[in-house]
Amino acid sequence: MRPDMPNIRVSRRGKIVIGVLVSLFVLLSALGSLVRVYTNWLWFGEVGFRDVFSTILVTRIVLFLTVGIALAVIIGANVFLAYRMRPPFRPISQEQENLERYRVTLEPKKRLIFAALVGLIFIASGTSAQANWKIWQLWRHGESFGVTDPQFNRDISFFAWDYPAYRLILGLGFNAVVFSLLLSLAVHYLFGAFRIATPGPKLTIAARRHVTLLVFFFIVLKACAYWLDRYGLVFSGRGKVTGASYTDVNASLPAKMILFWVAVLIALAVLASLWLKSAQIPVISFVVLLILSIGINGIYPAIVQQVTVKPNASDKEAPYITRNIQATRQAYDIVTDKDGGQVTYQDYQVTNRPDNAALTASDPTVANLRILDPNVVSPTFSKFQQLRNQYGFPAKLDIDRYEVDGEVADYVVGVRELDQSKLTGNQTNWINQHTFYTHGYGFAAAAASSDVTNTKQFTEGEIPPKGPLNLTTPQVYYGELLPNYSIVGASGAPREYDGAEVNTTYTGTGGVPLSNILNRLAFGMKYRETNFLLNDAASAKGAKIMFDRDPRERVKKVAPFLTVDGDPYPAVIDGRVQWFVDGYTTIANYPYSERQSLSDLTTDSLTATNRTASQADSQVNYIRNSVKATVDAYSGKVTLYEWDEDPVLKSWMKVFPDLVQSKASMPASVLAHVRYPQDLFEVQRKLLEQYHVDSATDFYNVADKWTVPNDPYLDSDVAQPPYYVLASAPGTKAGTPKFQLTTPMKVNNSTNLAAYISVDSDPGPTYGKMTVLNVPDGTVIQGPEQIANTFRSNATISQNISLLDSGGSQVIHGNLLTLPIGDSFLYVEPLYVQGSGSTGYPILQRVMVAYGDKIGYAADLAGALDNLSRGPVGVSLINSSGVGTGGPPATTSPSPTPPATSAPPTAQPSTPPITGNQAQILTQLNTAITRLQAAYRSGDFAAIGQAQADVQRLLKAYEDGRAASPKPSATPP
């Protein structure tokens, strides 16, 4: 026998205290939500897109109320009916005696308990439903794709918009029925209509009919689920690829149709049992449906997979793999040109012994070789262009192109932003952090082919701005490094520090006014800061608050349906700094297209080192760069331009009619700086690893698979990022240079080069055209990882790098570029040295190049390229001043070694002239090599340079003497 329940009494004072605490908690929670809503409403008003905010808010509220009320009414009504159906008399039993104690305790509080239950259901259901506002809006406004799936011949829009909505409605129905059934059974049991241990009938007639009806609705919903499950097979992962496999089509699909009709018949049988006295039919029907589901939907397809498919998988799955290949190419926009797409495959005949004649200074690729790595030189930009302690540059700079003096070239660019982490001492108080240091100032640019780390000659920079880009509004109030909020625009004496050592007052349209006490109170609560009410800068006339200032976050907030690229980039347009942000529309319900994690697809060495933002770990199988967005760095204005004819974007444009402007409205000055986005290219190159294969059999057998090369200078296996270059169009020998985004591809499980992918990044008719240069089968060409290893294993390079990496200095490897030129690939890698301490910054010290089986190494690019003409054994030597001994790039094929009568090279003043015969020169050469080895051990750079120069001169003299000596005759005299 159970002990009596303890009689817990709470005093009147205790009840008051509890009530006050609960009320305060609810009030503070509600107030916090209201503050967030109100400040967001103000923010959307600032950017001019309050309609977006109101549409989202109204949709969420309607869904919250509609679904919350619907489920609360359905479940509450069933609980109420179960209570009303309680029997007036209950058999006497131990079970009922135990339950009576609970009934006596709960009966006086039944209304309060019922209200709390209904309220909890309302809140939980409404909260869950409002989070799915995107599904509901796309269901209402979804556009047609104009493409049908190969299995059911339905437009893709059915799977993209309708199928998720039907699933959601079905889920709500199951929740309503299941919770109604469980709670009703609990009430029936508590009040004696459902008796487990009591002799006699287990259910009263009223309770049995109630439960039977709920079981009937459950089975009807289950029948609907079986019908809908048929369409879900196009997303199946049973086979080798995403999409309905042989087993899905020939076993699972018929099984689901059988189960649908079985569920319909069982539902009718359950409904008929209402007029029978037995309660066993609903239970038996439920068990039968469960058994049939396991047998028909589970065991049978497994048998087919094991017995029929597995022994003949490549043949059985071939038609369905073909569907997957076609759908994946379409969904990821990597359709071949022969099928109407923009991906062109070309065979690239390459050799390991290319002719250096291709490496002419007039070649667009050679003329624009980039030796500045934007991922490395940010500290160098800070060293020479920071100019004030509170400014800084992002860890990763960007690549863009400008026309300067009539010539288009690519530039490494960065915005001089306010970096609060650099504030020190009294600069870190609230007034300075939020009202004095409010913005960045200016823009820096350096030609990508120049050595700005040594020359310090920036194309654009300084305070006030100097350069050909005509930056007239240098103030940067919106950027990547700025504080979470700043208060600007206050009237009176200027109080915002400007880069030119003067104070200024913000006069732009950005920011939310703090003109009234309500706004100041709201932001004071938002940031938990009393200075919004007490500080003069916040309460002064004209004061505004700027928040949510990061370009990516502004675009994501204005267009919440977009996934934004991880790397915004700045450009100077019409005298102002504009941030460019690429926006993607994605879905995960494109039939037969391969589902992948967006995070996995876009992971590279830049995201691994936090130099660019990582994408969320969300599943996608369709992506388009549908939007190009700009954010004005002074006013914060967000402008969205439609870029791709995309049905997903078209659907959202019906939801938010005035949000996205047409592509035709994009100004020419903005269009000139559009580029192909990096994250999209990384997604596409990852898919092309396998989806360049046409044959389903080869695809199944993973034949001819490619992989992205690993970054050769990271310890972990992380992909090398793609690189922007200005070069000749791939596969062509000359012409106007094109701005491209490029990547090499290697043979799977090998380091040999398999292909080279380039996409046109210049706006125009060929924008987005992707060219894939295929390395023919059987041709062994070293890939980036092998080239990096070749550089490391060369004795001269290795020894020199070891010396550069000593004495507290650190060698930093720049990006290893891969460029098709002539009949091979040219590899170029800058080598930087950064001194120890906080004042150190990367300085370009060496350039390494490889072309076929030849490598070059010098203090500058010209010397490294010139060294390639010396043949596969040559490595350029460095003189004592650190300048490469080579001249400008060779313009012709390597000429024969000059005869001994040629004038010897000019020696250093302190070096004696070379005299003697071949044997004597060889003796001098051995002595010079001994001196070079001793210099390496001593670490004396001057001695190393002198010894290297001596060795080079002696080698040249020795080879000249050999060439001039008479050749032996073919036969003895």
Side-chain angles (χ1 to χ4, degrees):
M1 183 173 179
R2 293 188 183 182
D4 292 341
M5 293 182 64
N7 188 9
I8 301 175
R9 293 184 178 274
V10 180
S11 67
R12 186 170 180 273
R13 179 178 297 177
K15 292 179 180 179
I16 293 174
V17 171
I18 293 173
V20 169
L21 291 176
V22 171
S23 299
L24 281 174
F25 175 78
V26 173
L27 180 62
L28 289 175
S29 298
L31 191 59
S33 298
L34 287 174
V35 166
R36 286 193 297 273
V37 171
Y38 180 64
T39 54
N40 279 330
W41 181 77
L42 293 173
W43 186 91
F44 275 93
E46 170 208 341
V47 296
F49 293 116
R50 194 162 279 167
D51 287 345
V52 173
F53 178 78
S54 60
T55 298
I56 297 172
L57 183 62
V58 169
T59 304
R60 286 177 177 266
I61 291 174
V62 169
L63 285 175
F64 181 88
L65 294 175
T66 303
V67 176
I69 291 173
L71 264 68
V73 168
I74 292 172
I75 298 174
N78 278 279
V79 171
F80 177 74
L81 285 174
Y83 175 77
R84 290 296 300 271
M85 292 175 183
R86 68 192 186 282
F89 303 103
R90 289 171 286 273
I92 299 175
S93 68
Q94 186 65 46
E95 180 185 34
Q96 296 304 315
E97 288 181 4
N98 291 333
L99 291 173
E100 187 64 26
R101 297 186 179 91
Y102 293 98
R103 289 193 284 263
V104 171
T105 302
L106 297 177
E107 188 69 31
K109 304 173 184 176
K110 61 186 177 184
R111 291 189 178 162
L112 178 61
I113 294 172
F114 181 75
L117 176 64
V118 171
L120 181 63
I121 294 169
F122 169 72
I123 293 173
S125 302
T127 302
S128 175
Q130 62 85 30
N132 295 299
W133 68 272
K134 294 180 182 179
I135 294 176
W136 294 108
Q137 285 287 12
L138 288 174
W139 186 34
R140 291 182 57 205
H141 301 97
E143 283 276 316
S144 171
F145 279 69
V147 179
T148 57
D149 81 285
Q151 182 61 44
F152 299 101
N153 294 316
R154 283 183 170 270
D155 190 90
I156 302 301
S157 59
F158 170 81
F159 301 93
W161 323 133
D162 300 341
Y163 180 81
Y166 295 154
R167 274 289 176 200
L168 196 57
I169 294 171
L170 197 60
L172 293 174
F174 273 117
N175 285 338
V177 171
V178 169
F179 279 104
S180 294
L181 180 60
L182 294 175
L183 290 173
S184 296
L185 283 173
V187 173
H188 284 311
Y189 177 72
L190 180 63
F191 289 95
F194 177 32
R195 307 150 190 165
I196 296 176
T198 301
K202 301 301 179 185
L203 280 169
T204 63
I205 294 176
R208 177 172 60 81
R209 289 177 176 173
H210 184 203
V211 172
T212 299
L213 277 174
L214 290 175
V215 172
F216 164 76
F217 285 118
F218 177 83
I219 295 176
V220 168
L221 289 174
K222 194 63 182 172
C224 295
Y226 285 132
W227 182 266
L228 199 58
D229 283 347
R230 299 178 312 124
Y231 299 107
L233 292 175
V234 298
F235 311 121
S236 171
R238 183 196 298 272
K240 189 176 183 63
V241 294
T242 300
S245 64
Y246 177 92
T247 300
D248 292 319
V249 172
N250 295 279
S252 294
L253 186 58
K256 292 185 184 300
M257 282 300 300
I258 292 171
L259 287 171
F260 166 75
W261 289 112
V262 168
V264 170
L265 293 175
I266 289 177
L268 293 175
V270 170
L271 190 62
S273 70
L274 286 173
W275 290 270
L276 301 175
K277 294 184 178 181
S278 174
Q280 296 179 353
I281 291 179
V283 177
I284 293 173
S285 299
F286 186 84
V287 172
V288 168
L289 184 61
L290 180 63
I291 294 173
L292 288 175
S293 178
I294 295 172
I296 298 175
N297 199 37
I299 298 175
Y300 173 61
I303 293 174
V304 171
Q305 180 73 22
Q306 190 68 25
V307 175
T308 305
V309 177
K310 194 171 181 180
N312 310 283
S314 60
D315 293 332
K316 294 291 186 183
E317 299 288 9
Y320 308 101
I321 292 176
T322 299
R323 292 178 176 182
N324 173 266
I325 292 174
Q326 294 171 348
T328 301
R329 288 178 175 178
Q330 180 65 41
Y332 289 96
D333 202 17
I334 50 175
V335 179
T336 61
D337 55 351
K338 64 182 180 182
D339 294 324
Q342 295 201 89
V343 181
T344 301
Y345 292 87
Q346 297 180 14
D347 288 333
Y348 187 53
Q349 301 300 325
V350 292
T351 175
N352 279 315
R353 291 182 175 271
D355 189 347
N356 284 12
L359 304 181
T360 63
S362 61
D363 184 273
T365 300
V366 175
N368 291 282
L369 285 174
R370 175 161 62 81
I371 57 174
L372 287 186
D373 184 352
N375 309 317
V376 170
V377 297
S378 176
T380 305
F381 270 54
S382 293
K383 175 68 176 178
F384 300 121
Q385 287 296 323
Q386 178 180 344
L387 304 180
R388 308 287 185 271
N389 80 294
Q390 69 271 17
Y391 294 141
F393 290 88
K396 177 191 178 299
L397 301 178
D398 293 289
I399 294 288
D400 198 2
R401 63 280 196 214
Y402 290 89
E403 183 176 346
V404 177
D405 297 330
E407 292 189 5
V408 176
D410 54 345
Y411 292 82
V412 176
V413 299
V415 173
R416 188 184 295 108
E417 294 194 55
L418 173 66
D419 186 354
Q420 241 182 29
S421 66
K422 291 183 168 59
L423 299 179
T424 59
N426 62 0
Q427 293 178 322
T428 60
N429 62 55
W430 185 88
I431 293 176
N432 282 331
Q433 286 183 326
H434 297 288
T435 68
F436 185 68
Y437 296 114
T438 59
H439 60 277
Y441 190 96
F443 186 88
S449 59
S450 70
D451 180 13
V452 73
T453 66
N454 283 295
T455 66
K456 308 175 183 59
Q457 299 297 313
F458 286 80
T459 305
E460 183 80 19
E462 303 304 322
I463 296 177
K466 296 179 182 178
L469 305 187
N470 299 318
L471 180 60
T472 56
T473 307
Q475 291 82 7
V476 177
Y477 283 88
Y478 295 87
E480 297 179 281
L481 302 181
L482 295 168
N484 56 350
Y485 71 90
S486 290
I487 297 173
V488 302
S491 61
R495 65 184 80 201
E496 302 165 42
Y497 178 82
D498 215 23
E501 299 293 355
V502 295
N503 290 354
T504 186
T505 298
Y506 181 73
T507 58
T509 58
V512 173
L514 293 173
S515 55
N516 61 70
I517 186 66
L518 179 60
N519 286 7
R520 294 198 295 275
L521 181 61
F523 285 106
M525 294 182 63
K526 177 181 176 70
Y527 294 109
R528 295 177 174 83
E529 178 56 65
T530 59
N531 278 309
F532 280 95
L533 301 174
L534 304 177
N535 187 268
D536 292 340
S539 58
K541 182 180 178 181
K544 297 179 178 181
I545 179 173
M546 291 179 171
F547 63 106
D548 289 342
R549 305 164 76 180
D550 184 277
R552 293 181 75 247
E553 295 305 316
R554 291 180 77 80
V555 173
K556 285 169 64 177
K557 197 168 180 177
V558 164
F561 54 87
L562 290 178
T563 298
V564 299
D565 193 85
D567 185 25
Y569 62 98
V572 176
I573 299 173
D574 300 329
R576 300 165 75 105
V577 175
Q578 297 276 354
W579 291 97
F580 281 73
V581 182
D582 285 284
Y584 309 118
T585 44
T586 63
I587 59 175
N589 289 327
Y590 196 99
Y592 279 97
S593 176
E594 193 67 18
R595 277 183 177 169
Q596 296 276 349
S597 164
L598 188 59
S599 175
D600 292 343
L601 292 173
T602 56
T603 296
D604 60 23
S605 59
L606 296 180
T607 58
T609 54
N610 298 318
R611 291 180 180 269
T612 57
S614 300
Q615 294 291 353
D617 187 18
S618 57
Q619 293 291 310
V620 299
N621 67 354
Y622 174 95
I623 186 169
R624 288 292 187 275
N625 177 210
S626 53
V627 169
K628 299 287 187 182
T630 62
V631 178
D632 191 294
Y634 185 75
S635 68
K637 180 182 178 182
V638 179
T639 308
L640 307 179
Y641 299 99
E642 180 184 6
W643 186 255
D644 199 328
E645 294 289 333
D646 173 41
V648 183
L649 180 63
K650 294 290 186 185
S651 301
W652 283 115
M653 289 173 69
K654 290 167 68 176
V655 179
F656 307 112
D658 301 321
L659 179 60
V660 182
Q661 299 183 20
S662 67
K663 184 177 181 179
S665 65
M666 181 183 289
S669 56
V670 174
L671 183 63
H673 292 277
V674 165
R675 71 183 192 186
Y676 202 82
Q678 183 167 314
D679 281 352
L680 175 62
F681 187 63
E682 290 194 302
V683 168
Q684 292 172 324
R685 73 171 181 176
K686 192 69 176 176
L687 269 298
L688 282 171
E689 287 182 348
Q690 187 65 22
Y691 284 90
H692 68 279
V693 176
D694 292 320
S695 167
T697 302
D698 289 343
F699 189 102
Y700 183 88
N701 294 320
V702 198
D704 193 26
K705 184 182 179 182
W706 304 338
T707 53
V708 178
N710 292 327
D711 191 313
Y713 298 111
L714 283 188
D715 294 333
S716 56
D717 293 336
V718 182
Q720 185 185 50
Y723 296 121
Y724 290 100
V725 297
L726 189 65
S728 297
T732 62
K733 295 186 180 301
T736 303
K738 303 287 291 182
F739 192 59
Q740 309 162 45
L741 187 54
T742 65
T743 184
M745 303 294 284
K746 65 178 184 178
V747 178
N748 191 36
N749 297 323
S750 171
T751 54
N752 294 327
L753 207 63
Y756 176 85
I757 305 174
S758 172
V759 63
D760 192 334
S761 268
D762 277 330
T766 59
Y767 173 90
K769 177 179 172 56
M770 192 175 294
T771 303
V772 181
L773 301 181
N774 284 316
V775 175
D777 292 339
T779 304
V780 178
I781 300 295
Q782 291 184 332
E785 294 157 287
Q786 285 178 306
I787 292 296
N789 185 63
T790 300
F791 288 151
R792 284 191 294 255
S793 60
N794 181 276
T796 302
I797 296 176
S798 176
Q799 289 175 346
N800 191 242
I801 289 178
S802 297
L803 288 171
L804 294 173
D805 203 30
S806 61
S809 297
Q810 176 189 4
V811 169
I812 302 173
H813 291 270
N815 43 211
L816 179 54
L817 300 179
T818 306
L819 298 163
I821 186 169
D823 51 1
S824 189
F825 289 94
L826 175 67
Y827 292 91
V828 180
E829 180 186 321
L831 204 64
Y832 302 86
V833 175
Q834 180 168 335
S836 60
S838 59
T839 59
Y841 60 92
I843 300 175
L844 182 67
Q845 291 284 10
R846 303 288 185 266
V847 177
M848 299 183 287
V849 296
Y851 191 53
D853 60 350
K854 301 179 283 271
I855 61 175
Y857 181 66
D860 52 29
L861 179 62
L865 289 173
D866 178 65
N867 182 236
L868 289 173
S869 66
R870 304 176 191 276
V873 298
V875 172
S876 181
L877 302 177
I878 313 300
N879 63 28
S880 59
S881 63
V883 179
T885 58
T891 57
T892 59
S893 299
S895 57
T897 306
T901 56
S902 300
T906 303
Q908 298 290 337
S910 60
T911 304
I914 299 173
T915 58
N917 56 28
Q918 288 291 90
Q920 292 171 329
I921 292 175
L922 186 59
T923 301
Q924 296 177 52
L925 177 60
N926 289 331
T927 303
I929 292 174
T930 302
R931 288 201 308 270
L932 177 61
Q933 293 171 343
Y936 275 128
R937 287 192 294 271
S938 68
D940 186 338
F941 281 89
I944 292 171
Q946 184 63 58
Q948 287 176 331
D950 291 342
V951 170
Q952 186 184 30
R953 291 186 305 101
L954 289 164
L955 277 171
K956 181 72 164 53
Y958 182 76
E959 291 296 327
D960 288 349
R962 289 185 60 189
S965 61
K967 300 279 192 299
S969 58
T971 55

